[in-house]
């Protein structure tokens, strides 16, 4: 069985080709999805890639959230379809209320690009099962508005339910509350992540290949299902 | 106000015209009248004034730049040479690479963020207009003293602007320079380089041919941005004693440019374009006259069809507007519908504003009345040429004599002196870690960056199957160039060449951005002439032709010019990027060799 | 026809840290501006309406602010008619 | 002591392109909000003063706005006392 993973292109998406490459390297078939098209073309899972959709004007992800493709994705995500939002995709997921909280301007007030160490805090989601619980990985991080914020009680609930997927190690690069780099919904099918695992899938072009696990996890999950 | 039509201009030879305010000299104005056989209309005057400005016409530099062509070493790799938007080089396997460095110095001093941002935007459109997908950018920068208040204002804005625009376009930043020297205090240098990749058959040129073909303007609406900016900014200098000039600033919209890139690549892929030109300095004046001038026929444009952001703009202002994120394409009538469809897909506004004619004139109409009727070559390619006087400055000998020699600048003796020297060098801002700057740039996007900071050259993979790639480095040293402009330019080339070679790539071609003071100063003109001669000679020896570049003059504060600063970019090819050589020591026990003496 | 202008102000909720406002606040004394105890930075939208700014129009704009112009997870907003419509 | 709050609104000059406002304006009809002919997006600073918002304080804030909060190359600003200080 070939697993089909959709990668959405919004106007202003930038890492869509990179996400497709990562899907291919993991052994699945990438399927390009277009923001104006409600049809998901029978994909098994969806990635919302990084970039500056709609220029990130207004707020990151605020305009994309209302695109036709998101209507279908929101409906299917609520029924269990795996969705991974990377960087701008994470922002879209929060704006869509598929994930709680919001991503705001980095506390440094600068865009920051660095190789970031992370700890996988939840290796049971659809997108992290190929990692060991507590595994430490390095992947690129690049954002200007990556500071995860949420109400205190929301943060407590996320921690209590094990819904923090990844946490920053060494330095907190953007001022995220509780060093949060990624979270999941209660069902574990929707994951939002600020760092870019799709840029750590080839030793030649990234700091290593430790990002590949996100893409192989979903493959395994769908093949096993 | 009545419209200044061609007809009215013929009947009113004595109308006073603001040619001097527009930066034209008396003899230039007379020449326009001779070309046209009457006084120019306001719209014609606007076009000639921007197109004949130093910035667009290269009137002071042309005579020296010629050498880059005349002395160019024979190179099989050169597919498109100097004169087009950017040069194109064959890198094998059917691929061609285009690259160019350009300046946005003056606008970046006035408004650092937007000036630098639109500098990236402009060079990216140049590369796009050749038919290539832009794949990387670089940014050689020069600032005043690191602790000067102006540097504190300018540097963060410039870096944020380059990052803000380049990151949003999804172009990895693979290198650049940050150099501090008090000579750049009132006149920082913001140079931007872009690299693009295409297949040989996708090369596009800026020319309008085929009578009946349509002229399509697409991208952003036209507003009042930078009106007069080209002539004013490029022909005048900043004076400390007066309040800062605040001309209308161009504001960039990187999101619009990203859409423009994707949309343009799609119309190229479907072979819908006969000729194409980006709109940069001099906006529509430049695009229409250059397209018509390079093509086989004439062109007719209905200027009132141009979509406006500000409905009150006059025809002159529309022609001079430097609104960003616009392109102009020549399309066969049968392909117009499909072209517009692709623009609609990308939410890009596109409008047919005219067509190619079988005449020889560029004719522009405003609500049915003719406001421009000119031979396009006289606007675009046959502007004035100056043989500016130049002379070796009388202080040059003294400056050279003042150079450190064994008896005047002694080697440090003993541990303490050595330590002091080391600390002095190590703590100089020019040696500082550049990551405050580089960490604001995305170097990973597109997933093909093989080398970026802190490496000596950037390297990009261009084919994932074969691992073909290119490496690019930029270098320049204003202090060397001031001591000896001829050798200084050669050293800049040699350094960039070495940085590319050291990665394992084979240097193929050169681009340069020549940043100098006022050409009206014979000493500066001498520096310029020497630098050109030095660079052209060195390119000949190394076998790497100059494929394109940019000249930025009038870089000075009051009477004081910056150091002559030729910035040189070298592009090399590597057939397998997995064999690249990074600069770090890889493992313990490796031997270290010193080459050369 | 007088153009009606409606202003929507969007500010981060007080409990959400505002690094931009803080950066401004920290910079002010350095520039010689003392006596400012807190700074918060938000967004201001000026909307020009085709028609009058009547209750129906304001209600629609309030809805647009609630669902779109502001992210009510972290932001509060106010909607008002600009008095001195030029 | 009642806290005085001064608001500084900073907007791009009318002739300067406002890509953010344009993006919002284009999105509104798609979301079902019609009848808005123009949108401009700017910044709003809320400053809490230690002392009263008297003429001297306002003059200082106007100077801070001129030199720091606004970039007067491309932006205009207004300074006013917030009426309903909460
Ligand atoms: N403005 C810039 N933009 C992008 N990269 C830069 C910039 N300035 C410096 N760099 C990169 O930072 C690294 C270190 O620069 P530098 O300290 O100047 O090195 P070197 O002295 O070896 O040339 C290089 O990879 C260089 O390309």
């Amino acid at each position: 069985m070939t697993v089909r993973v959709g990668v959405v292109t919004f106007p202003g998406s930038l890492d869509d080709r990179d996400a497709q490459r990562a899907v291919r390297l993991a052994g699945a078939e990438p399927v390009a999805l277009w923001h104006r098209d409600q049809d998901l073309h029978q994909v098994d899972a969806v990635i919302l890639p990084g970039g500056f959709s709609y220029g990130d004007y207004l707020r990151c992800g605020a305009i994309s959230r209302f695109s036709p493709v998101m209507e279908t994705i929101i409906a299917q995500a609520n029924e269990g379809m795996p969705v991974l939002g990377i960087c701008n995709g994470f922002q879209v997921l929060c704006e869509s209320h598929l994930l709680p909280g919001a991503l705001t301007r980095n506390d440094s007030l600068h865009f920051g690009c660095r190789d970031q160490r992370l700890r996988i805090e939840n290796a049971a989601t659809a997108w992290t099962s190929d990692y060991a619980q507590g595994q430490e990985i390095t992947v690129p991080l690049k954002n200007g508005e990556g500071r995860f914020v949420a109400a205190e009680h929301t943060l407590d609930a996320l921690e209590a339910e094990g819904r923090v997927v990844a946490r920053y190690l060494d330095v907190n690069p953007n001022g995220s509350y509780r060093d949060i780099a990624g979270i999941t919904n209660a069902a574990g099918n929707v994951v939002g992540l600020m760092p870019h695992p799709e840029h750590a899938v080839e030793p030649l072009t990234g700091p290593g290949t430790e990002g590949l696990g996100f893409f192989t996890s979903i493959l395994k999950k769908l093949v096993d299902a | 106000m009545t419209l200044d039509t061609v007809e009215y201009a013929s009947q009113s030879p004595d109308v006073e015209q603001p040619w001097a305010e527009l930066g034209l000299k008396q003899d230039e104005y007379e020449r326009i009248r001779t070309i046209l056989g009457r006084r120019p209309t306001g719209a014609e005057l606007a076009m000639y004034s921007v197109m004949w400005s130093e910035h667009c016409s290269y009137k002071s530099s042309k005579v020296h730049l010629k050498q880059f062509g005349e002395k160019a070493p024979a190179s099989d790799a050169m597919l498109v040479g100097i004169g087009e938007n950017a040069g194109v080089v064959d890198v094998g396997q059917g691929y061609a690479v285009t690259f160019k460095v350009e300046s946005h110095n003056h606008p970046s001093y006035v408004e650092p963020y937007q000036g630098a941002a639109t500098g990236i935007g402009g060079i990216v459109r140049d590369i796009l207009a050749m038919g290539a997908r832009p794949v990387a950018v670089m940014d050689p920068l020069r600032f005043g003293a690191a602790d000067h208040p102006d540097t504190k204002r300018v540097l963060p804005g410039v870096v944020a602007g380059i990052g803000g625009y380049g990151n949003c376009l999804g172009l990895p930043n693979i290198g650049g320079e940050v150099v501090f020297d008090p000579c750049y205090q009132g006149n920082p240098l913001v140079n931007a380089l872009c690299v693009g990749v295409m297949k040989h058959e996708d090369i596009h040129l800026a020319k309008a041919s085929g009578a009946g073909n349509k002229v399509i303007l697409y991208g952003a609406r036209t507003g009042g941005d930078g009106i007069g900016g080209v002539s004013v900014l490029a022909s005048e200098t900043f004076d400390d004693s007066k309040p800062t000039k605040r001309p209308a600033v161009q504001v960039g919209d990187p999101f619009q440019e990203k859409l423009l890139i994707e949309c343009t690549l799609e119309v190229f892929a479907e072979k819908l374009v006969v000729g194409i030109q980006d709109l940069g300095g001099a906006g529509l004046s430049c695009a229409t006259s250059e397209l018509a001038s390079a093509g086989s026929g004439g062109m007719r444009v209905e200027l009132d069809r141009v979509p406006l952001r500000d409905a009150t703009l006059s025809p002159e202002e529309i022609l001079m507007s430097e609104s960003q994120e616009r392109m102009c394409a020549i399309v066969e009538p049968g392909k117009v519908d499909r072209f517009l469809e692709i623009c609609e897909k990308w939410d890009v506004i596109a409008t047919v504003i005219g067509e190619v004619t079988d005449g020889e004139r560029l004719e522009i109409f405003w609500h049915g009345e003719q406001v421009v009727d000119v031979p396009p070559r006289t606007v675009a390619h046959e502007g004035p040429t100056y043989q500016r006087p130049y002379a070796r400055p009388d202080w040059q000998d003294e400056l050279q004599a003042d150079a450190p020699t064994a008896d005047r600048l002694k080697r440090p003796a003993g541990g303490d002196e050595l330590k002091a020297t080391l600390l002095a060098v190590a703590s100089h801002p020019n040696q500082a870690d550049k990551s405050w700057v580089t960490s604001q740039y995305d170097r990973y996007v597109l997933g093909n960056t093989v080398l970026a900071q802190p490496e000596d050259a950037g390297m990009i993979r261009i084919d994932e199957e074969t691992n073909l790639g290119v490496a690019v480095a930029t270098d320049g040293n204003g202090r060397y160039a001031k001591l000896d402009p001829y050798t200084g330019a050669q050293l800049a080339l040699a350094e960039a060449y070495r940085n590319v070679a050291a990665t394992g790539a084979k240097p193929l071609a050169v681009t340069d951005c020549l940043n100098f003071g006022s050409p009206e100063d014979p000493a500066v003109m001498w520096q310029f002439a020497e630098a050109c001669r030095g660079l052209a000679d060195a390119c000949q020896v190394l076998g790497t032709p100059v494929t394109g570049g940019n000249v930025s003059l009038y870089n000075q504060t009051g009477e004081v010019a910056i150091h002559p600063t030729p910035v040189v970019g070298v592009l090399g090819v590597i057939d397998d990027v997995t064999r690249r050589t990074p600069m770090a020591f890889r493992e313990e026990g490796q031997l270290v060799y010193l080459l050369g003496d | 026809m007088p153009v009606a202008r409606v202003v929507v102000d969007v500010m981060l909720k007080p409990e959400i840290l505002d690094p931009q406002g803080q950066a401004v606040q920290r910079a002010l004394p350095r520039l010689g501006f003392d006596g400012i105890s807190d700074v918060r930075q938000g967004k201001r939208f000026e909307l020009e309406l085709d028609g009058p700014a009547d209750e129906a129009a304001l209600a629609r704009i309030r809805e647009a602010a609630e669902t779109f112009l502001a992210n009510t997870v972290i932001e509060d907003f106010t909607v008002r008619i600009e008095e001195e419509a030029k």
Side-chain angles (χ1 to χ4, degrees), chain A, chain B, chain C:
Chain A
M1 158 191 169
T2 35
V3 171
R4 290 163 58 83
V5 179
V7 177
V8 178
T9 299
F10 298 105
S13 290
L14 304 178
D15 300 303
D16 43 350
R17 276 171 266 260
D18 306 67
Q20 290 179 22
R21 181 191 293 115
V23 165
R24 206 180 315 117
L25 289 172
E29 181 192 345
V31 178
L33 302 177
W34 181 241
H35 70 115
R36 280 195 201 165
D37 187 359
Q38 285 198 321
D39 188 348
L40 298 189
H41 303 276
Q42 287 97 45
V43 295
D44 305 296
V46 166
I47 296 175
L48 305 179
F52 290 75
S53 59
Y54 291 95
D56 274 357
Y57 297 142
L58 183 57
R59 287 183 311 281
C60 305
I63 300 180
S64 322
R65 167 228 164 157
F66 290 102
S67 59
V69 76
M70 280 311 295
E71 273 179 46
T72 320
I73 291 174
I74 291 171
Q76 300 219 6
N78 283 325
E79 286 174 13
M81 180 182 69
V83 178
L84 173 65
I86 302 171
C87 195
N88 196 227
F90 187 6
Q91 293 158 339
V92 175
L93 291 175
C94 289
E95 285 281 343
S96 307
H97 305 302
L98 283 171
L99 293 174
L103 293 143
T104 60
R105 190 89 187 265
N106 293 354
D107 60 354
S108 67
L109 303 181
H110 292 300
F111 183 96
C113 176
R114 64 192 309 275
D115 295 344
Q116 177 70 44
R117 236 154 57 84
L118 304 174
R119 185 167 54 234
I120 302 294
E121 301 278 26
N122 177 343
T125 75
W127 299 91
T128 51
S129 58
D130 245 7
Y131 292 104
Q133 186 74 22
Q135 188 176 338
E136 296 181 2
I137 63 171
T138 299
V139 299
L141 175 82
K142 40 171 208 168
N143 60 65
E145 306 199 16
R147 183 173 59 109
F148 181 75
V149 304
E152 218 37 40
H153 62 88
T154 307
L155 294 167
D156 290 341
L158 284 173
E159 305 257 19
E161 295 163 25
R163 287 167 55 193
V164 174
V165 172
R167 233 185 274 269
Y168 298 118
L169 294 181
D170 302 340
V171 275
N172 180 335
N174 46 28
S176 280
Y177 287 6
R178 306 195 189 178
D179 299 336
I180 289 174
I183 57 171
T184 180
N185 64 349
N189 63 311
V190 178
V191 169
L193 192 69
M194 214 54 217
H196 289 260
E198 82 282 17
H199 289 316
V201 294
E202 291 181 282
L204 189 66
T205 55
T209 56
E210 292 174 335
L212 203 55
F214 283 88
F215 308 94
T216 52
S217 294
I218 190 66
L219 191 66
K220 199 180 288 171
K221 149 132 187 133
L222 291 168
V223 171
D224 289 351
Chain B
M1 204 186 93
T2 51
L3 188 66
D4 192 11
T5 61
V6 170
E7 191 187 353
Y8 177 65
S10 325
Q11 296 157 2
S12 54
D14 302 326
V15 167
E16 284 282 316
Q17 296 195 281
W19 48 268
E21 289 86 328
L22 289 169
L24 287 167
K25 299 277 186 297
Q26 169 106 41
D27 59 325
E28 293 172 340
Y29 177 67
E30 294 304 334
R31 189 160 149 219
I32 297 168
R33 294 188 70 125
T34 310
I35 289 170
L36 298 177
R38 57 172 163 81
R39 77 161 175 89
T41 65
E44 289 166 339
L45 189 65
M47 289 185 84
Y48 278 106
S49 72
V50 285
M51 291 302 291
W52 286 12
S53 70
E54 186 65 61
H55 182 72
C56 292
S57 73
Y58 289 80
K59 55 190 171 191
S60 304
S61 54
K62 257 193 290 206
V63 294
H64 300 284
L65 297 178
K66 267 199 328 233
Q67 301 168 77
F68 294 142
E70 290 162 359
K71 295 183 191 166
S75 162
D76 300 338
M78 186 112 113
L79 297 175
V80 175
I82 294 184
E84 284 295 331
N85 282 314
V88 181
V89 186
D90 178 15
V91 292
Q93 300 179 13
Y95 284 102
V97 169
T98 175
F99 79 129
K100 186 179 172 187
V101 59
E102 230 176 47
S103 65
H104 226 216
N105 304 341
H106 292 153
S108 302
Y109 182 70
V110 177
E111 182 9 58
Y113 185 98
Q114 296 295 345
T118 53
I120 294 283
I123 188 66
V124 167
R125 284 193 302 283
D126 262 348
I127 293 304
L128 179 63
M130 295 308 299
R133 172 176 280 283
V135 294
V137 294
M138 301 176 84
D139 59 329
L141 308 175
R142 303 289 184 278
F143 301 103
D147 54 3
H148 191 276
D150 238 8
T151 305
K152 211 168 158 185
R153 172 183 74 93
V154 172
L155 185 147
V158 164
V159 171
I162 289 168
Y165 205 99
N167 295 343
C168 191
L169 289 187
L171 294 178
N173 187 308
I174 59 167
E177 298 161 67
V178 180
V179 176
F180 300 95
D181 189 296
C183 78
Y184 306 111
Q185 214 109 277
N187 199 117
L189 302 185
V190 176
N191 292 181
L193 181 148
C194 182
V195 189
V197 176
M198 70 198 119
K199 288 289 196 169
H200 285 189
E201 60 271 23
D202 292 331
I203 296 175
H204 280 74
L205 298 179
K207 62 173 188 212
S209 48
N213 286 345
K214 301 297 179 189
V215 181
I216 300 181
L217 177 67
Y218 66 111
R221 289 173 185 276
T222 298
D225 313 54
I227 287 176
V230 169
S231 15
V232 176
L233 282 179
S235 68
E236 300 198 23
T237 49
F238 298 106
D239 189 337
D240 264 344
S241 59
K242 294 192 205 120
T244 327
K245 280 212 180 86
R246 286 176 177 168
V249 170
Q250 302 132 265
V251 170
D253 180 353
F255 171 58
Q256 175 71 245
E257 179 123 326
K258 168 69 178 167
L259 300 183
L260 204 57
I261 293 174
E262 297 302 333
C263 168
T264 302
L265 291 171
E266 208 164 313
V267 299
F268 285 155
E270 294 197 17
K271 312 236 175 291
L272 303 179
V273 176
V274 176
I276 190 157
Q277 174 69 293
D278 60 297
L279 276 71
L284 265 174
S285 293
C286 179
T288 53
S289 64
E290 286 195 348
L291 280 165
S293 173
S296 49
M299 185 186 286
R300 180 189 165 102
V301 173
E302 314 287 339
L303 201 60
D304 45 283
R305 291 200 196 152
V306 171
L308 298 181
R309 205 170 78 227
D310 172 355
T312 65
L313 292 181
S314 67
E316 289 85 352
E317 290 171 315
I318 295 169
L319 282 169
M320 292 174 85
S321 163
E322 294 186 350
S323 285
Q324 302 290 297
E325 293 96 20
R326 297 179 297 163
M327 306 273 287
C328 198
I330 308 297
V331 180
E332 287 170 19
K335 294 180 172 172
V336 167
D337 285 349
R338 180 63 189 142
F339 187 101
L340 298 181
E341 220 171 84
I342 291 175
C343 289
E344 199 279 331
K345 171 183 167 188
W346 288 101
D347 295 318
V348 169
I349 300 173
T351 315
V352 175
I353 59 164
E355 64 179 39
V356 179
T357 63
D358 52 16
E360 289 176 346
R361 315 281 291 185
L362 170 59
E363 299 176 85
I364 300 182
F365 293 81
W366 180 250
H367 296 289
E369 300 201 70
Q370 187 162 19
V371 293
V372 172
D373 179 13
V374 297
R377 285 201 67 79
T378 63
V379 180
H381 293 109
E382 290 166 0
T385 301
Y386 291 164
Q387 302 276 353
R388 298 246 191 225
Y390 58 91
R392 189 170 196 271
D394 42 20
W395 44 258
Q396 194 75 32
D397 284 333
E398 201 184 328
L399 186 72
Q400 288 183 351
D402 200 26
T405 50
D407 54 327
R408 299 191 47 249
L409 188 72
K410 289 202 301 285
R411 280 173 181 272
D416 284 350
E417 278 184 39
L418 197 57
K419 184 175 163 195
T421 304
L422 181 71
L423 288 178
V425 171
S427 63
H428 193 278
N430 285 342
Q431 304 305 323
D433 176 14
K434 305 300 188 303
S435 54
W436 188 88
V437 171
T438 56
S439 68
Q440 296 187 48
Y441 303 150
D442 183 350
R443 59 182 181 274
Y444 285 112
V445 65
L446 296 180
N448 285 314
T449 306
V450 178
L451 298 176
Q453 64 80 25
E455 301 289 342
D456 292 331
M459 185 181 286
I460 291 286
R461 172 176 68 185
I462 63 183
D463 188 304
E464 284 184 46
E465 302 289 310
T466 66
N467 284 323
L468 179 70
V470 293
V472 188
T474 73
D475 284 291
N477 187 323
R479 289 164 64 98
Y480 290 174
K482 182 157 190 187
L483 273 171
D484 180 347
Y486 179 87
T487 313
Q490 299 192 329
L491 287 172
L493 171 66
E495 185 174 358
Y497 191 98
R498 282 198 306 274
N499 280 332
V500 165
T503 66
K506 178 174 178 284
L508 276 188
V510 173
T511 182
D512 62 282
C513 190
L514 304 173
N515 306 277
F516 287 76
S518 166
E520 294 160 37
D521 176 349
V524 169
M525 215 45 223
W526 175 81
Q527 294 172 330
F528 184 79
E530 283 295 282
C532 288
R533 194 168 65 85
L535 186 57
D537 286 351
C539 284
Q540 198 169 32
V541 171
L542 291 178
T544 49
V546 174
T547 61
N550 172 252
V551 175
S552 173
L553 300 176
Y554 297 101
N555 290 291
Q556 55 188 71
T557 311
E559 290 295 296
V560 185
I562 59 163
H563 292 339
T565 312
V567 170
V568 179
V570 169
L571 176 113
V573 63
I574 177 165
D575 56 8
D576 181 359
V577 290
T578 62
R579 293 207 324 266
R580 83 246 178 247
T581 317
M583 65 183 191
F585 296 145
R586 296 273 110 179
E587 43 193 270
E588 232 177 84
Q590 289 177 325
L591 298 178
V592 181
Y593 293 90
L594 176 66
L595 303 184
D597 48 26
Chain C
M1 194 187 77
V3 187
R5 174 181 290 174
V6 175
V7 173
V8 180
D9 287 320
V10 176
M11 301 297 292
L12 280 174
K13 289 184 197 267
E15 66 271 22
I16 302 279
L17 176 75
D18 170 17
Q20 306 197 71
Q22 289 199 340
V24 171
Q25 192 189 338
R26 274 195 306 271
L28 284 170
R30 272 188 273 126
L31 301 174
F33 302 106
D34 290 311
I36 293 167
S37 57
D38 191 30
V39 179
R40 296 195 59 86
Q41 179 175 339
K43 293 178 201 151
R44 172 187 166 96
F45 298 91
E46 296 183 352
L47 314 181
E48 309 280 352
L49 305 195
D50 287 334
D54 52 19
E55 241 334 293
L58 285 180
R60 274 191 354 258
I61 292 175
R62 252 179 240 114
E63 198 194 326
E66 171 91 35
T67 54
F68 179 57
L69 295 177
N71 175 357
T72 52
V73 174
I74 50 169
E75 294 168 329
D76 294 325
F77 66 90
T78 60
V79 173
R80 64 197 154 79
I81 302 173
E82 173 112 312
E83 295 85 25
E84 354 82 283
K86 290 156 215 153

